[in-house]
């Protein structure tokens, strides 16, 4: 520590209580300061998990940081035990903030180029959390044009730079490149959370909701595809509304240009088959599945390897299409012990309620939301929507219509109805289980 500095947490550090900090430590003599930083964060009430590069372990041991953080230190991307449940993705989702201190010139260069050749760089690509970085290197390395270009790109990529400081260096040089002191880094984290309070984290008992959104694209050749007009706005509004209700939300999105709602984990896909694979992976572990995506019904049987030329296809072009997997029906057909409550969507142009009832029954859904996409200003691409809501009860199917309204408002209504249906279903299951135990 520099003369006169203190490692006691400032009073405003109560802002950090319960915050989850993922600390990356790369190679460099400044790695010893990371131990003091972990202590500061823990004193402020943070949960801290540490990831070390192989080079960092030459300067400070994982055991030291494990003792200070109270958590196992991760050092390898290919750890069989940790990766049994895709541990690096779970760790990326766990973090409220990603902090790298110290960050070497090599690590900065690899981050700029999107490398994912070790656990730390992979986590940085996989996490949507705010990212802070504290460089540490020789003054000549810091001043080098390549490093300065890389740092500028990191800032363009929304990394927040902390330091570096100037002064005596371990190599005997004097100048900029020293890692900022732990209390300065700590203050930067406090300021981050005071400026941008995070969305409240779902409780451990919160339901996991999986939502699909947007269109899919089915390739015909390397430059053409089949798709539809879905903007993804309704699905993203549902994800935002579910997060506001305190749910743990995973959004599987087709290709759209929309920001990820706060508190939502997003998985991007292109084709129906990719969306189906992610749904099959996640739905069995969810309490509620909402299929809002406009999934292409068909795909090319054999997409062309090269661009189709007009002079080769003539005035007409015949395509052989095959059916895509029925994503929502496959979720509804899961075994009872794996099946979530299933909500579907129906985009219709006539006889809205009748077709919705038919789809509810035919696909074995618990609830369906149907809207008339033929109405101007509603549905695809619009910020407004109107809908029929239909859901199953022990007495039959109940329904109600929702007048035209902003999609954000309609999304809240849909989520609350789905959660009420989930609560009823859960209570019925608990009652049946208790009755069975008595008998």
């Amino acid at each position: 520590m520099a003369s006169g500095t203190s490692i006691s947490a400032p009073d405003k550090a109560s802002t950090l209580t319960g915050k989850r900090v993922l600390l990356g430590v790369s190679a460099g003599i400044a790695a010893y300061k990371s131990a003091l930083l972990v202590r500061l964060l823990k004193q402020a009430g943070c949960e801290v998990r540490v990831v070390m590069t192989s080079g960092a372990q030459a300067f400070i041991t994982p055991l030291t940081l494990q003792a200070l953080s109270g958590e196992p230190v991760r050092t390898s991307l290919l750890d069989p035990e940790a990766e049994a449940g895709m541990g690096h993705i779970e760790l990326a989702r766990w973090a409220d903030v990603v902090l790298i201190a110290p960050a070497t010139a090599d690590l900065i260069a690899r981050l700029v180029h999107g490398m994912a050749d070790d656990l730390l760089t992979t986590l940085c690509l996989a996490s949507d959390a705010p990212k802070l970085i504290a460089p540490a290197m020789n003054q000549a390395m810091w001043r080098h044009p390549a490093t300065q270009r890389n740092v500028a790109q990191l800032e363009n990529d929304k990394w927040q730079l902390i330091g570096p400081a100037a002064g005596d260096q371990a190599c005997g040089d004097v100048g900029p490149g020293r890692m900022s002191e732990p209390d300065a880094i700590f203050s930067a984290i406090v300021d981050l959370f005071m400026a941008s309070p995070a969305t409240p984290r779902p409780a451990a008992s919160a339901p996991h909701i999986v939502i699909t959104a947007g269109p899919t694209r089915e390739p015909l050749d390397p430059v053409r595809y089949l798709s539809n007009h879905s903007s993804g706005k309704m699905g993203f509004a549902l994800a935002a509304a579910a997060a506001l209700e305190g749910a743990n939300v995973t959004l599987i999105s087709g290709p759209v240009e929309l920001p990820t709602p706060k508190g939502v984990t997003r998985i991007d896909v292109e084709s129906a088959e990719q969306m189906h694979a992610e749904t099959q992976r996640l739905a069995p572990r969810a309490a509620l599945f909402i299929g809002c995506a406009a999934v292409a019904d068909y795909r090319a049987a054999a997409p062309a390897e090269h661009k189709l030329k007009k002079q080769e296809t003539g005035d007409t072009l015949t395509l052989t299409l095959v059916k895509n997997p029925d994503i929502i029906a496959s979720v509804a057909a899961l075994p009872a012990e794996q099946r979530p409550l299933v909500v579907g969507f129906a985009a219709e142009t006539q006889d809205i309620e009748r077709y919705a009832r038919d789809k509810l029954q035919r696909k074995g859904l618990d609830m369906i939301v149907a809207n008339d996409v033929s109405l101007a200003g509603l549905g695809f691409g619009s910020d407004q929507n109107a809908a029929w809501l239909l859901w199953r009860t022990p007495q039959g199917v109940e329904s109600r219509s929702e007048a035209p309204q902003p999609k954000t408002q309609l999304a809240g209504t849909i989520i609350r109805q789905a959660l009420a249906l989930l609560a009823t279903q859960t209570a019925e299951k608990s009652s049946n289980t208790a009755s069975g135990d008595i008998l």
Side-chain angles (χ1 to χ4, degrees):
M1 302 287 291
S3 175
T5 58
S6 169
I7 61 171
S8 61
D11 292 339
K12 64 180 180 179
S14 58
T15 304
L16 298 186
T17 301
K19 294 295 187 291
R20 298 177 175 183
V21 180
L22 180 59
L23 174 63
V25 182
S26 65
I29 187 61
Y32 79 89
K33 295 182 182 179
S34 301
L36 301 174
L37 180 57
V38 171
R39 184 182 173 193
L40 271 177
L41 293 168
K42 291 295 290 184
Q43 286 176 338
C46 291
E47 296 181 48
V48 183
R49 294 185 183 178
V50 180
V51 173
M52 302 180 71
T53 65
S54 57
Q57 297 169 63
F59 293 90
I60 187 171
T61 68
L63 184 60
T64 298
L65 295 175
Q66 178 176 311
L68 290 169
S69 67
E71 298 282 352
V73 173
R74 293 285 303 276
T75 59
S76 173
L77 176 61
L78 303 178
D79 182 337
E81 181 177 350
E83 289 305 308
M86 296 297 286
H88 68 284
I89 298 297
E90 292 304 317
L91 190 55
R93 292 173 181 167
W94 172 87
D96 288 323
V97 63
V98 175
L99 167 66
I100 301 180
T104 62
D106 173 73
L107 179 62
I108 289 172
R110 288 191 291 127
L111 290 172
V112 165
H113 291 285
M115 303 290 284
D117 54 353
D118 65 4
L119 179 59
L120 182 54
T121 52
T122 300
L123 288 170
C124 290
L125 284 181
S127 177
D128 292 327
K131 298 178 179 68
L132 294 84
I133 193 164
M137 64 195 75
N138 168 267
Q139 56 84 24
M141 296 174 69
W142 172 251
R143 289 190 172 111
H144 195 282
T147 301
Q148 292 303 303
R149 285 196 303 271
N150 289 337
V151 168
Q153 185 58 53
L154 273 188
E155 291 183 303
N156 286 338
D157 292 342
K158 307 304 181 185
W159 282 81
Q160 179 180 331
L161 211 66
I162 307 172
D168 295 335
Q169 299 186 330
C171 61
D173 286 356
V174 178
R178 286 170 52 95
M179 184 176 112
S180 295
E181 297 302 329
D183 54 351
I185 298 172
F186 176 85
S187 292
I189 295 177
V190 173
D191 292 343
L192 172 74
F193 284 113
M194 291 186 73
S196 304
T199 300
R201 183 171 296 278
S205 58
H208 181 199
I209 301 179
V210 175
I211 301 172
T212 64
T216 62
R217 290 178 179 172
E218 312 303 324
L220 299 176
D221 64 19
V223 298
R224 301 181 180 91
Y225 54 82
L226 298 173
S227 191
N228 55 63
H229 296 295
S230 174
S231 65
K233 290 180 179 179
M234 191 71 237
F236 276 63
L238 287 166
L244 287 174
E245 291 291 332
N248 180 0
V249 185
T250 302
L251 177 64
I252 306 172
S253 175
V256 297
E257 297 296 329
L258 294 173
T260 305
K262 285 187 176 181
V264 172
T265 298
R266 176 174 174 175
I267 299 172
D268 289 314
V269 298
E270 286 275 335
S271 69
E273 289 188 304
Q274 292 171 349
M275 185 172 284
H276 180 252
E278 289 296 332
T279 298
Q280 289 295 103
R281 180 175 70 85
L282 293 168
R285 304 199 298 269
L288 173 59
F289 174 80
I290 303 177
C292 188
V295 183
D297 293 322
Y298 293 89
R299 69 182 186 277
E305 184 178 353
H306 301 288
K307 180 182 176 181
L308 296 169
K309 300 292 186 180
K310 286 192 291 186
Q311 61 268 31
E312 296 173 358
T313 57
D315 293 335
T316 62
L317 175 63
T318 301
L319 298 174
T320 301
L321 304 178
V322 296
K323 276 188 175 182
N324 271 322
D326 190 327
I327 294 176
I328 197 160
S330 68
V331 176
L334 287 170
E337 64 276 9
Q338 296 182 326
R339 185 188 185 280
L341 187 141
V342 184
V343 179
F345 272 69
E348 305 291 351
T349 58
Q350 59 180 342
D351 295 333
I352 310 304
E353 185 180 7
R354 180 168 67 85
Y355 282 122
R357 284 180 181 272
D358 173 69
K359 187 172 182 179
L360 182 76
Q361 301 291 347
R362 180 165 39 86
K363 293 185 180 287
L365 310 180
D366 299 289
M367 177 176 162
I368 193 165
V369 181
N371 56 285
D372 187 345
V373 295
S374 69
L375 298 176
L378 298 178
F380 287 143
S382 170
D383 292 325
Q384 298 279 319
N385 212 347
W388 277 90
L389 276 59
L390 298 89
W391 62 93
R392 294 177 185 271
T393 71
Q395 293 74 39
V397 175
E398 294 187 12
S399 67
R400 75 167 183 268
S401 63
E402 292 290 333
Q405 58 194 275
K407 287 182 175 178
T408 52
Q409 181 179 334
L410 180 60
T413 299
I414 294 168
I415 290 296
R416 287 188 290 274
Q417 179 61 55
L419 289 174
L421 196 59
L422 177 63
T424 300
Q425 189 181 87
T426 302
E428 289 174 353
K429 288 180 180 178
S430 298
S431 177
N432 291 339
T433 300
S435 297
D437 290 342
I438 294 172
L439 293 175

